[in-house]
Coordinates of all heavy atoms in Angstrom, one line a residue:
M17 N -16.7 -47.9 43.8 CA -16.9 -46.7 43.1 C -16.2 -46.8 41.7 O -15.0 -47.2 41.7 CB -16.3 -45.6 44.0 CG -16.5 -44.3 43.4 SD -15.8 -43.1 44.5 CE -16.9 -41.9 44.5
I18 N -16.8 -46.4 40.7 CA -16.3 -46.4 39.3 C -15.8 -45.1 38.9 O -16.5 -44.1 39.1 CB -17.4 -46.9 38.4 CG1 -17.9 -48.3 38.7 CG2 -16.9 -46.9 36.9 CD1 -19.0 -48.8 38.0
R19 N -14.5 -45.0 38.4 CA -14.0 -43.7 38.0 C -14.2 -43.6 36.5 O -13.9 -44.6 35.7 CB -12.5 -43.7 38.3 CG -12.3 -43.5 39.8 CD -10.8 -43.4 40.1 NE -10.4 -42.1 39.7 CZ -9.2 -41.6 39.9 NH1 -8.2 -42.4 40.4 NH2 -8.8 -40.4 39.6
R20 N -14.5 -42.5 36.0 CA -14.7 -42.3 34.6 C -13.6 -41.4 34.1 O -13.2 -40.5 34.8 CB -16.0 -41.6 34.3 CG -17.2 -42.4 34.7 CD -18.5 -41.6 34.3 NE -19.4 -42.5 33.8 CZ -20.6 -42.2 33.3 NH1 -20.9 -40.9 33.2 NH2 -21.4 -43.1 32.9
C21 N -13.1 -41.7 32.9 CA -12.1 -40.8 32.2 C -12.8 -39.7 31.5 O -13.7 -40.0 30.7 CB -11.3 -41.7 31.3 SG -10.2 -42.8 32.1
D22 N -12.4 -38.5 31.7 CA -13.0 -37.4 31.0 C -12.1 -37.0 29.8 O -11.0 -36.5 30.0 CB -13.1 -36.2 32.0 CG -13.9 -35.1 31.3 OD1 -14.6 -35.3 30.3 OD2 -13.8 -34.0 31.9
D23 N -12.6 -37.2 28.6 CA -11.8 -36.8 27.4 C -12.3 -35.5 26.8 O -12.0 -35.2 25.7 CB -12.0 -37.9 26.3 CG -11.3 -39.2 26.7 OD1 -10.4 -39.1 27.5 OD2 -11.6 -40.3 26.2
G24 N -13.0 -34.7 27.5 CA -13.5 -33.5 27.1 C -12.5 -32.5 26.5 O -12.7 -31.8 25.6
G25 N -11.3 -32.4 27.1 CA -10.3 -31.4 26.7 C -9.4 -31.9 25.6 O -8.7 -31.2 25.0
S26 N -9.4 -33.2 25.3 CA -8.5 -33.8 24.3 C -8.9 -33.3 22.9 O -8.0 -33.0 22.1 CB -8.5 -35.3 24.3 OG -9.8 -35.8 23.9
A27 N -10.1 -33.1 22.6 CA -10.5 -32.6 21.3 C -10.1 -31.1 21.1 O -9.6 -30.7 20.0 CB -12.0 -32.7 21.1
T28 N -10.1 -30.3 22.2 CA -9.7 -29.0 22.1 C -8.2 -28.9 21.9 O -7.6 -28.1 21.1 CB -10.0 -28.2 23.4 OG1 -11.4 -28.3 23.6 CG2 -9.6 -26.8 23.4
A29 N -7.4 -29.8 22.6 CA -6.0 -29.8 22.4 C -5.6 -30.3 21.0 O -4.7 -29.7 20.4 CB -5.4 -30.8 23.5
E30 N -6.3 -31.3 20.5 CA -6.0 -31.7 19.1 C -6.3 -30.6 18.1 O -5.5 -30.4 17.2 CB -6.8 -33.0 18.8 CG -6.3 -34.2 19.6 CD -7.3 -35.3 19.5 OE1 -8.3 -35.2 18.8 OE2 -7.0 -36.4 20.1
F31 N -7.4 -29.9 18.3 CA -7.8 -28.8 17.4 C -6.7 -27.7 17.5 O -6.3 -27.1 16.5 CB -9.1 -28.3 17.9 CG -9.7 -27.2 16.9 CD1 -10.2 -27.6 15.7 CD2 -9.7 -25.9 17.3 CE1 -10.7 -26.6 14.8 CE2 -10.3 -25.0 16.5 CZ -10.7 -25.3 15.2
A32 N -6.2 -27.4 18.7 CA -5.2 -26.4 18.8 C -3.9 -26.7 18.1 O -3.1 -25.8 17.7 CB -4.9 -26.1 20.3
V33 N -3.6 -28.0 18.0 CA -2.4 -28.4 17.3 C -2.6 -28.5 15.8 O -1.7 -28.1 15.0 CB -1.9 -29.8 17.8 CG1 -0.8 -30.4 17.0 CG2 -1.5 -29.7 19.3
I34 N -3.8 -28.9 15.3 CA -4.0 -29.1 13.9 C -4.2 -27.7 13.2 O -3.8 -27.6 12.1 CB -5.3 -30.0 13.7 CG1 -5.0 -31.4 14.2 CG2 -5.7 -30.0 12.3 CD1 -3.9 -32.1 13.5
V35 N -4.9 -26.8 13.8 CA -5.2 -25.5 13.1 C -4.0 -24.8 12.6 O -3.9 -24.4 11.5 CB -6.1 -24.6 14.0 CG1 -6.2 -23.2 13.5 CG2 -7.5 -25.2 14.1
P36 N -2.9 -24.6 13.5 CA -1.7 -23.9 12.9 C -1.1 -24.7 11.8 O -0.6 -24.1 10.8 CB -0.8 -23.8 14.1 CG -1.7 -23.9 15.3 CD -2.8 -24.8 14.9
A37 N -1.1 -26.0 11.9 CA -0.5 -26.8 10.8 C -1.3 -26.6 9.5 O -0.7 -26.5 8.4 CB -0.5 -28.3 11.2
V38 N -2.6 -26.6 9.6 CA -3.4 -26.4 8.4 C -3.2 -25.0 7.8 O -3.1 -24.8 6.6 CB -4.9 -26.7 8.7 CG1 -5.8 -26.2 7.5 CG2 -5.1 -28.1 9.0
V39 N -3.1 -24.0 8.7 CA -2.9 -22.6 8.2 C -1.6 -22.5 7.5 O -1.4 -21.9 6.5 CB -3.0 -21.6 9.4 CG1 -2.5 -20.2 9.0 CG2 -4.5 -21.6 9.9
L40 N -0.5 -23.1 8.1 CA 0.8 -23.1 7.5 C 0.8 -23.8 6.2 O 1.4 -23.3 5.2 CB 1.8 -23.8 8.4 CG 3.2 -23.9 7.9 CD1 3.8 -22.5 7.8 CD2 4.1 -24.7 8.9
L41 N 0.1 -24.9 6.0 CA 0.0 -25.6 4.8 C -0.7 -24.8 3.7 O -0.2 -24.7 2.6 CB -0.7 -26.9 4.9 CG -0.9 -27.8 3.7 CD1 0.5 -28.3 3.2 CD2 -1.8 -29.0 4.0
I42 N -1.7 -24.1 4.1 CA -2.5 -23.2 3.1 C -1.6 -22.0 2.7 O -1.5 -21.7 1.5 CB -3.8 -22.7 3.7 CG1 -4.8 -23.9 3.8 CG2 -4.4 -21.6 2.9 CD1 -6.0 -23.6 4.6
A43 N -0.8 -21.5 3.7 CA 0.1 -20.3 3.3 C 1.2 -20.8 2.4 O 1.5 -20.1 1.5 CB 0.6 -19.8 4.6
L44 N 1.8 -21.9 2.7 CA 2.8 -22.4 1.8 C 2.3 -22.7 0.4 O 3.0 -22.5 -0.6 CB 3.5 -23.7 2.4 CG 4.3 -23.5 3.6 CD1 4.8 -24.8 4.2 CD2 5.5 -22.6 3.3
T45 N 1.1 -23.3 0.3 CA 0.5 -23.6 -1.0 C 0.2 -22.3 -1.8 O 0.5 -22.2 -3.0 CB -0.8 -24.4 -0.8 OG1 -0.5 -25.6 -0.1 CG2 -1.4 -24.7 -2.2
A46 N -0.3 -21.3 -1.1 CA -0.6 -20.0 -1.8 C 0.7 -19.3 -2.2 O 0.8 -18.8 -3.3 CB -1.4 -19.1 -0.8
G47 N 1.7 -19.4 -1.4 CA 3.0 -18.8 -1.7 C 3.6 -19.5 -2.9 O 4.2 -18.8 -3.8
S48 N 3.6 -20.8 -2.9 CA 4.1 -21.5 -4.1 C 3.4 -21.2 -5.3 O 4.0 -21.1 -6.4 CB 4.1 -23.0 -3.8 OG 4.9 -23.3 -2.6
L49 N 2.1 -21.2 -5.3 CA 1.3 -20.9 -6.5 C 1.6 -19.5 -7.0 O 1.6 -19.2 -8.2 CB -0.2 -21.0 -6.2 CG -0.7 -22.4 -6.0 CD1 -2.2 -22.5 -5.6 CD2 -0.5 -23.2 -7.3
S50 N 1.8 -18.5 -6.1 CA 2.2 -17.2 -6.5 C 3.5 -17.2 -7.2 O 3.7 -16.5 -8.2 CB 2.2 -16.3 -5.2 OG 2.6 -15.0 -5.6
A51 N 4.5 -17.9 -6.6 CA 5.8 -18.0 -7.3 C 5.7 -18.6 -8.7 O 6.4 -18.2 -9.6 CB 6.8 -18.7 -6.4
V52 N 4.9 -19.6 -8.8 CA 4.7 -20.3 -10.1 C 4.1 -19.3 -11.1 O 4.5 -19.2 -12.3 CB 3.9 -21.6 -10.0 CG1 3.5 -22.1 -11.3 CG2 4.8 -22.6 -9.2
G53 N 3.1 -18.6 -10.6 CA 2.5 -17.6 -11.5 C 3.5 -16.5 -12.0 O 3.5 -16.1 -13.1
R54 N 4.3 -16.1 -11.1 CA 5.4 -15.1 -11.4 C 6.4 -15.7 -12.4 O 6.8 -15.0 -13.3 CB 6.1 -14.7 -10.2 CG 7.2 -13.6 -10.5 CD 7.6 -13.0 -9.2 NE 7.1 -11.6 -9.3 CZ 7.6 -10.6 -8.7 NH1 8.5 -10.8 -7.8 NH2 7.1 -9.4 -8.8
L55 N 6.7 -17.0 -12.3 CA 7.6 -17.7 -13.2 C 6.9 -17.7 -14.6 O 7.6 -17.5 -15.6 CB 7.9 -19.1 -12.8 CG 8.9 -19.9 -13.7 CD1 10.2 -19.1 -13.9 CD2 9.1 -21.2 -13.1
V56 N 5.7 -18.0 -14.7 CA 4.9 -18.0 -16.0 C 5.0 -16.6 -16.6 O 5.2 -16.5 -17.8 CB 3.5 -18.5 -15.8 CG1 2.7 -18.3 -17.0 CG2 3.5 -20.0 -15.4
R57 N 4.7 -15.6 -15.8 CA 4.8 -14.2 -16.4 C 6.2 -13.9 -16.9 O 6.4 -13.2 -17.9 CB 4.4 -13.2 -15.3 CG 2.9 -13.2 -15.1 CD 2.4 -12.0 -14.3 NE 3.2 -11.8 -13.1 CZ 2.9 -12.3 -11.9 NH1 1.9 -13.2 -11.8 NH2 3.6 -12.1 -10.8
L58 N 7.2 -14.4 -16.1 CA 8.6 -14.1 -16.5 C 8.9 -14.8 -17.8 O 9.6 -14.3 -18.7 CB 9.6 -14.6 -15.4 CG 11.1 -14.5 -15.7 CD1 11.4 -13.0 -15.9 CD2 11.9 -15.1 -14.6
E59 N 8.5 -16.1 -18.0 CA 8.7 -16.8 -19.2 C 8.0 -16.1 -20.4 O 8.6 -16.0 -21.5 CB 8.3 -18.2 -19.1 CG 9.2 -19.0 -18.2 CD 8.7 -20.4 -17.9 OE1 7.5 -20.8 -18.3 OE2 9.4 -21.2 -17.3
H60 N 6.8 -15.6 -20.2 CA 6.1 -14.9 -21.2 C 6.9 -13.6 -21.6 O 7.0 -13.3 -22.8 CB 4.7 -14.6 -20.8 CG 3.9 -13.7 -21.7 ND1 3.5 -14.2 -22.9 CD2 3.6 -12.4 -21.6 CE1 2.8 -13.2 -23.5 NE2 2.9 -12.1 -22.8
A61 N 7.3 -12.9 -20.6 CA 8.0 -11.6 -20.9 C 9.3 -11.9 -21.6 O 9.7 -11.1 -22.5 CB 8.3 -10.9 -19.5
V62 N 10.1 -12.9 -21.3 CA 11.3 -13.2 -21.9 C 11.1 -13.7 -23.4 O 11.8 -13.3 -24.3 CB 12.1 -14.3 -21.1 CG1 13.3 -14.8 -21.9 CG2 12.6 -13.7 -19.8
A63 N 10.0 -14.4 -23.6 CA 9.7 -14.8 -25.0 C 9.4 -13.6 -25.9 O 9.8 -13.4 -27.0 CB 8.5 -15.8 -25.0
Q64 N 8.6 -12.7 -25.3 CA 8.3 -11.4 -26.0 C 9.5 -10.6 -26.2 O 9.7 -10.0 -27.3 CB 7.2 -10.6 -25.2 CG 5.9 -11.2 -25.1 CD 5.1 -11.2 -26.5 OE1 5.4 -10.4 -27.3 NE2 4.3 -12.2 -26.6
A65 N 10.4 -10.5 -25.2 CA 11.6 -9.7 -25.3 C 12.5 -10.3 -26.3 O 13.2 -9.6 -27.1 CB 12.3 -9.7 -23.9
A66 N 12.6 -11.6 -26.5 CA 13.5 -12.3 -27.5 C 13.0 -11.9 -28.9 O 13.8 -11.6 -29.7 CB 13.5 -13.8 -27.2
R67 N 11.7 -11.9 -29.1 CA 11.2 -11.6 -30.4 C 11.5 -10.1 -30.7 O 11.8 -9.7 -31.8 CB 9.7 -11.8 -30.5 CG 9.4 -13.3 -30.6 CD 7.9 -13.6 -30.9 NE 7.0 -13.4 -29.8 CZ 6.8 -14.4 -28.9 NH1 7.4 -15.5 -29.0 NH2 5.9 -14.1 -27.9
L68 N 11.4 -9.2 -29.7 CA 11.6 -7.8 -29.9 C 13.1 -7.6 -30.2 O 13.5 -6.8 -31.1 CB 11.2 -7.1 -28.6 CG 11.1 -5.6 -28.6 CD1 10.0 -5.2 -29.6 CD2 10.8 -5.0 -27.3
A69 N 14.0 -8.3 -29.4 CA 15.4 -8.2 -29.7 C 15.8 -8.7 -31.0 O 16.7 -8.2 -31.7 CB 16.2 -8.9 -28.6
A70 N 15.2 -9.8 -31.5 CA 15.5 -10.3 -32.8 C 15.1 -9.4 -33.9 O 15.7 -9.4 -35.0 CB 14.7 -11.7 -33.0
R71 N 14.2 -8.5 -33.7 CA 13.8 -7.5 -34.7 C 14.7 -6.3 -34.6 O 14.5 -5.3 -35.4 CB 12.4 -7.0 -34.5 CG 11.3 -8.1 -34.9 CD 9.9 -7.5 -35.0 NE 9.5 -6.7 -33.9 CZ 8.6 -7.0 -33.0 NH1 8.0 -8.2 -33.0 NH2 8.3 -6.2 -32.0
G72 N 15.7 -6.3 -33.7 CA 16.6 -5.2 -33.5 C 16.2 -4.1 -32.6 O 16.8 -3.1 -32.5
E73 N 15.1 -4.3 -31.8 CA 14.7 -3.3 -30.9 C 15.1 -3.6 -29.5 O 14.4 -3.7 -28.5 CB 13.1 -3.2 -30.9 CG 12.6 -2.9 -32.3 CD 11.1 -2.8 -32.3 OE1 10.5 -2.3 -31.4 OE2 10.5 -3.4 -33.3
T74 N 16.5 -3.7 -29.3 CA 17.0 -4.1 -28.0 C 16.8 -3.0 -26.9 O 16.9 -3.3 -25.7 CB 18.5 -4.4 -28.1 OG1 19.2 -3.3 -28.7 CG2 18.7 -5.7 -29.0
G75 N 16.6 -1.8 -27.3 CA 16.4 -0.7 -26.4 C 15.2 -0.8 -25.5 O 15.1 -0.3 -24.4
R76 N 14.2 -1.5 -26.0 CA 12.9 -1.7 -25.3 C 12.8 -3.0 -24.6 O 11.8 -3.2 -23.9 CB 11.8 -1.6 -26.4 CG 11.7 -0.2 -27.0 CD 10.6 -0.1 -28.0 NE 9.3 -0.7 -27.6 CZ 8.4 -1.3 -28.4 NH1 8.6 -1.2 -29.7 NH2 7.3 -1.8 -28.0
V77 N 13.8 -3.8 -24.7 CA 13.7 -5.2 -24.1 C 13.6 -5.1 -22.5 O 12.7 -5.7 -21.9 CB 14.9 -6.0 -24.5 CG1 15.0 -7.3 -23.6 CG2 14.8 -6.4 -25.9
A78 N 14.5 -4.3 -21.9 CA 14.4 -4.2 -20.4 C 13.1 -3.6 -19.9 O 12.6 -4.1 -18.9 CB 15.6 -3.4 -19.9
E79 N 12.6 -2.7 -20.6 CA 11.4 -2.0 -20.3 C 10.2 -3.0 -20.4 O 9.3 -3.1 -19.5 CB 11.1 -0.8 -21.2 CG 9.8 -0.1 -21.0 CD 9.6 1.0 -22.0 OE1 10.6 1.6 -22.5 OE2 8.4 1.3 -22.3
L80 N 10.2 -3.8 -21.4 CA 9.1 -4.8 -21.6 C 9.2 -5.9 -20.5 O 8.1 -6.2 -19.9 CB 9.3 -5.5 -23.0 CG 8.3 -6.6 -23.3 CD1 7.0 -6.0 -23.6 CD2 8.8 -7.5 -24.4
V81 N 10.4 -6.4 -20.2 CA 10.5 -7.4 -19.2 C 10.1 -6.9 -17.8 O 9.4 -7.5 -17.0 CB 11.9 -8.0 -19.1 CG1 12.1 -8.9 -17.9 CG2 12.2 -8.8 -20.4
A82 N 10.5 -5.6 -17.5 CA 10.1 -5.0 -16.2 C 8.6 -4.8 -16.2 O 8.0 -5.0 -15.1 CB 10.8 -3.7 -16.0
A83 N 8.0 -4.4 -17.3 CA 6.5 -4.1 -17.3 C 5.7 -5.4 -17.1 O 4.7 -5.4 -16.4 CB 6.1 -3.4 -18.6
I84 N 6.1 -6.5 -17.8 CA 5.3 -7.7 -17.8 C 5.5 -8.5 -16.5 O 4.6 -9.0 -15.8 CB 5.6 -8.6 -19.0 CG1 5.1 -7.9 -20.3 CG2 4.9 -9.9 -18.9 CD1 5.4 -8.6 -21.5
A85 N 6.8 -8.7 -16.1 CA 7.1 -9.6 -15.0 C 7.8 -8.9 -13.8 O 8.2 -9.7 -12.9 CB 8.0 -10.7 -15.5
D86 N 8.0 -7.6 -13.8 CA 8.7 -7.0 -12.8 C 10.1 -7.7 -12.5 O 10.4 -8.0 -11.4 CB 7.9 -6.9 -11.5 CG 8.5 -6.0 -10.4 OD1 9.2 -5.1 -10.8 OD2 8.3 -6.2 -9.2
A87 N 10.8 -7.9 -13.6 CA 12.1 -8.6 -13.6 C 13.2 -7.7 -14.2 O 12.9 -6.7 -14.8 CB 12.0 -9.9 -14.3
R88 N 14.4 -8.3 -14.2 CA 15.5 -7.6 -14.8 C 16.1 -8.5 -15.9 O 16.2 -9.7 -15.7 CB 16.5 -7.1 -13.8 CG 17.2 -8.2 -13.1 CD 18.1 -7.8 -12.0 NE 18.7 -8.9 -11.3 CZ 18.1 -9.6 -10.4 NH1 16.9 -9.4 -10.1 NH2 18.7 -10.6 -9.8
V89 N 16.6 -7.8 -17.0 CA 17.3 -8.6 -18.0 C 18.7 -8.8 -17.6 O 19.5 -7.9 -17.2 CB 17.2 -7.8 -19.4 CG1 18.0 -8.5 -20.4 CG2 15.8 -7.6 -19.8
E90 N 19.1 -10.1 -17.7 CA 20.5 -10.4 -17.3 C 21.4 -10.4 -18.6 O 22.6 -9.9 -18.5 CB 20.5 -11.9 -16.8 CG 19.8 -12.0 -15.5 CD 20.4 -11.3 -14.3 OE1 21.6 -11.1 -14.3 OE2 19.6 -10.8 -13.4
A91 N 20.9 -10.8 -19.7 CA 21.7 -10.9 -20.9 C 20.9 -10.9 -22.2 O 19.8 -11.4 -22.2 CB 22.6 -12.1 -20.9
I92 N 21.4 -10.3 -23.2 CA 20.9 -10.4 -24.6 C 22.1 -10.8 -25.4 O 23.1 -10.1 -25.5 CB 20.4 -9.0 -25.1 CG1 19.3 -8.5 -24.2 CG2 19.9 -9.2 -26.5 CD1 18.8 -7.1 -24.5
A93 N 22.0 -12.0 -26.0 CA 23.2 -12.6 -26.7 C 22.7 -13.1 -28.1 O 21.7 -13.7 -28.2 CB 23.8 -13.7 -25.9
A94 N 23.6 -12.9 -29.0 CA 23.4 -13.5 -30.4 C 24.1 -14.9 -30.4 O 25.3 -15.0 -30.0 CB 24.0 -12.6 -31.4
E95 N 23.4 -15.9 -30.7 CA 24.0 -17.2 -30.8 C 23.6 -17.8 -32.2 O 22.6 -18.4 -32.4 CB 23.4 -18.1 -29.7 CG 23.7 -17.6 -28.3 CD 23.1 -18.5 -27.2 OE1 22.6 -19.6 -27.6 OE2 23.2 -18.1 -26.1
G96 N 24.5 -17.6 -33.2 CA 24.3 -18.0 -34.5 C 23.2 -17.1 -35.1 O 23.3 -15.9 -35.2
D97 N 22.1 -17.8 -35.6 CA 21.0 -17.1 -36.2 C 19.9 -16.7 -35.1 O 18.9 -16.1 -35.4 CB 20.3 -18.0 -37.2 CG 21.1 -18.2 -38.4 OD1 22.0 -17.4 -38.6 OD2 20.8 -19.1 -39.2
L98 N 20.2 -17.0 -33.9 CA 19.3 -16.7 -32.8 C 19.7 -15.5 -31.9 O 20.9 -15.3 -31.7 CB 19.1 -17.9 -31.9 CG 18.6 -19.2 -32.5 CD1 18.6 -20.3 -31.5 CD2 17.2 -19.0 -33.1
V99 N 18.7 -14.8 -31.4 CA 19.0 -13.8 -30.4 C 18.3 -14.3 -29.1 O 17.1 -14.6 -29.1 CB 18.4 -12.4 -30.8 CG1 18.6 -11.4 -29.6 CG2 19.0 -12.0 -32.0
C100 N 19.1 -14.5 -28.0 CA 18.6 -15.0 -26.8 C 18.5 -14.0 -25.7 O 19.5 -13.2 -25.6 CB 19.4 -16.2 -26.3 SG 19.4 -17.6 -27.5
V101 N 17.5 -14.0 -24.9 CA 17.3 -13.1 -23.8 C 17.2 -13.9 -22.5 O 16.4 -14.9 -22.5 CB 16.1 -12.2 -24.0 CG1 15.9 -11.3 -22.7 CG2 16.2 -11.3 -25.2
T102 N 17.9 -13.5 -21.5 CA 17.9 -14.2 -20.2 C 17.5 -13.1 -19.2 O 18.0 -12.0 -19.2 CB 19.2 -14.8 -19.8 OG1 19.7 -15.7 -20.8 CG2 19.1 -15.5 -18.5
A103 N 16.5 -13.5 -18.3 CA 16.0 -12.5 -17.3 C 15.8 -13.3 -16.0 O 15.7 -14.5 -16.0 CB 14.7 -11.8 -17.7
S104 N 15.8 -12.5 -14.9 CA 15.6 -13.1 -13.6 C 14.7 -12.2 -12.7 O 14.7 -11.0 -13.0 CB 16.9 -13.5 -12.9 OG 17.6 -12.3 -12.7
A105 N 14.1 -12.8 -11.7 CA 13.3 -12.0 -10.8 C 13.2 -12.7 -9.5 O 13.5 -14.0 -9.4 CB 11.8 -12.0 -11.3
V106 N 13.0 -12.0 -8.4 CA 12.8 -12.6 -7.1 C 11.4 -13.2 -7.0 O 10.5 -12.7 -7.7 CB 13.0 -11.6 -6.0 CG1 14.4 -11.0 -5.9 CG2 12.0 -10.4 -6.1
P107 N 11.3 -14.3 -6.3 CA 9.9 -15.0 -6.2 C 8.8 -14.1 -5.7 O 7.7 -14.2 -6.1 CB 10.2 -16.1 -5.3 CG 11.6 -16.4 -5.3 CD 12.3 -15.0 -5.5
G108 N 9.1 -13.1 -4.9 CA 8.1 -12.2 -4.4 C 7.2 -12.7 -3.3 O 6.2 -12.1 -3.0
V109 N 7.6 -13.8 -2.7 CA 6.9 -14.4 -1.6 C 7.9 -14.7 -0.4 O 9.0 -14.9 -0.7 CB 6.1 -15.7 -1.9 CG1 5.0 -15.4 -2.9 CG2 7.1 -16.7 -2.5
P110 N 7.4 -14.6 0.8 CA 8.4 -14.8 1.9 C 8.6 -16.3 2.2 O 8.4 -16.8 3.2 CB 7.7 -14.2 3.1 CG 6.2 -14.3 2.8 CD 6.1 -14.2 1.3
L111 N 9.1 -17.0 1.2 CA 9.5 -18.4 1.3 C 10.9 -18.5 0.8 O 11.4 -17.7 0.0 CB 8.6 -19.2 0.3 CG 7.1 -19.3 0.7 CD1 6.4 -20.1 -0.4 CD2 6.9 -20.0 2.0
P112 N 11.6 -19.5 1.3 CA 13.0 -19.7 0.9 C 13.1 -20.4 -0.4 O 13.5 -21.5 -0.6 CB 13.6 -20.7 2.0 CG 12.4 -21.4 2.5 CD 11.2 -20.5 2.4
L113 N 12.8 -19.6 -1.5 CA 12.8 -20.0 -2.8 C 14.0 -19.4 -3.6 O 14.4 -18.2 -3.3 CB 11.5 -19.7 -3.6 CG 10.3 -20.3 -3.0 CD1 9.1 -19.8 -3.7 CD2 10.3 -21.8 -3.2
P114 N 14.6 -20.1 -4.5 CA 15.7 -19.5 -5.3 C 15.2 -18.4 -6.2 O 13.9 -18.3 -6.5 CB 16.3 -20.7 -6.1 CG 15.1 -21.6 -6.2 CD 14.3 -21.5 -4.9
E115 N 16.1 -17.6 -6.8 CA 15.7 -16.6 -7.7 C 15.1 -17.2 -9.0 O 15.6 -18.3 -9.4 CB 16.9 -15.7 -8.1 CG 16.5 -14.5 -8.9 CD 17.7 -13.6 -9.0 OE1 18.7 -13.9 -9.7 OE2 17.6 -12.5 -8.5
L116 N 14.1 -16.7 -9.5 CA 13.4 -17.2 -10.7 C 14.2 -16.8 -11.9 O 14.7 -15.6 -12.0 CB 12.0 -16.7 -10.8 CG 11.1 -17.0 -9.7 CD1 9.7 -16.4 -9.8 CD2 11.0 -18.5 -9.4
S117 N 14.4 -17.6 -12.9 CA 15.2 -17.3 -14.1 C 14.5 -17.9 -15.3 O 13.9 -19.0 -15.2 CB 16.6 -17.8 -14.0 OG 17.3 -17.5 -15.1
A118 N 14.6 -17.2 -16.5 CA 14.0 -17.7 -17.7 C 14.9 -17.3 -18.9 O 15.5 -16.2 -18.8 CB 12.6 -17.2 -17.9
R119 N 14.9 -18.1 -19.9 CA 15.7 -17.8 -21.1 C 14.8 -18.2 -22.3 O 14.2 -19.2 -22.4 CB 17.0 -18.6 -21.1 CG 17.9 -18.3 -22.3 CD 19.2 -19.1 -22.0 NE 20.2 -18.7 -23.0 CZ 20.4 -19.4 -24.1 NH1 19.7 -20.5 -24.3 NH2 21.3 -19.1 -25.0
S120 N 14.9 -17.3 -23.3 CA 14.2 -17.6 -24.6 C 14.9 -17.1 -25.8 O 15.7 -16.1 -25.6 CB 12.8 -16.9 -24.5 OG 12.0 -17.3 -25.7
C121 N 14.8 -17.7 -26.9 CA 15.5 -17.3 -28.1 C 14.5 -17.1 -29.3 O 13.5 -17.8 -29.3 CB 16.5 -18.4 -28.5 SG 17.8 -18.6 -27.3
A122 N 14.9 -16.3 -30.2 CA 14.1 -16.0 -31.4 C 15.0 -15.9 -32.6 O 16.2 -15.5 -32.4 CB 13.2 -14.8 -31.2
L123 N 14.5 -16.2 -33.8 CA 15.3 -16.1 -35.0 C 15.6 -14.7 -35.3 O 14.6 -13.9 -35.4 CB 14.5 -16.8 -36.1 CG 15.3 -17.0 -37.4 CD1 16.5 -17.9 -37.2 CD2 14.4 -17.7 -38.5
E124 N 16.8 -14.4 -35.5 CA 17.2 -13.0 -35.8 C 16.6 -12.5 -37.0 O 16.5 -13.1 -38.1 CB 18.7 -12.9 -35.9 CG 19.2 -11.5 -36.0 CD 20.8 -11.4 -35.9 OE1 21.4 -12.5 -36.0 OE2 21.3 -10.3 -35.8
G125 N 16.1 -11.2 -37.0 CA 15.4 -10.6 -38.1 C 14.0 -11.1 -38.4 O 13.3 -10.7 -39.3
G126 N 13.5 -12.0 -37.5 CA 12.2 -12.6 -37.7 C 11.1 -11.6 -37.4 O 11.2 -10.7 -36.6
R127 N 10.0 -11.7 -38.1 CA 8.9 -10.8 -38.0 C 7.7 -11.5 -37.6 O 7.4 -12.6 -37.9 CB 8.6 -10.1 -39.4 CG 9.8 -9.3 -39.8 CD 9.5 -7.8 -39.6 NE 10.6 -7.0 -39.9 CZ 11.0 -6.0 -39.3 NH1 10.4 -5.6 -38.3 NH2 12.1 -5.3 -39.7

C-alpha cells in the first residue's frame, strides 16, 4: 500500500503567516510616508516663518507655523544678520518616531 502526503493545508498556513506580515509592512510604509510629508510641511512652514520674522513680523510666526504644519515654534533668534526660527511637531502617526524638528534662517530686513 502506498501512502500519499497531503500538502493541501500547507498553502493555507503559509498564507495565514504571510498576510499579517504584508499588512504590517504596508502600514509601516504608509506611516513613514505620512511622517515624511509632515516633515516637508514643517520645513516649508519654518522657511516661511523665518522670512516673516526677518521682516519684523514676529507676532504672526507662531500662527503661520501652526496653520501650515500644525507645529509649535520653539525659538526665534537673531544670529548676526540672520533671523532663525526653530519649530517642532509630533510625527502624527502611531509609530515610535522621534519628534520632528526643523530650523530655517533668513536675512534680517530682507524683502
Side-chain angles (χ1 to χ4, degrees):
M17 186 179 219
I18 300 173
R19 290 182 75 179
R20 294 182 143 187
C21 291
D22 186 19
D23 291 338
S26 67
T28 304
E30 290 169 1
F31 186 72
V33 170
I34 294 296
V35 167
V38 170
V39 169
L40 179 65
L41 181 64
I42 291 171
L44 289 174
T45 302
S48 298
L49 288 174
S50 175
V52 168
R54 180 165 250 201
L55 180 60
V56 169
R57 286 192 310 274
L58 179 62
E59 289 174 350
H60 174 70
V62 170
Q64 293 291 334
R67 286 191 284 275
L68 196 63
R71 290 194 312 249
E73 300 179 45
T74 56
R76 294 179 44 208
V77 168
E79 178 185 330
L80 176 77
V81 171
I84 294 177
D86 193 24
R88 65 186 177 281
V89 174
E90 298 292 328
I92 301 172
E95 298 178 9
D97 290 343
L98 298 175
V99 176
C100 298
V101 175
T102 305
S104 62
V106 294
V109 293
L111 294 175
L113 297 174
E115 188 171 68
L116 304 175
S117 180
R119 181 174 188 265
S120 184
C121 299
L123 188 61
E124 188 172 8
R127 297 255 177 218

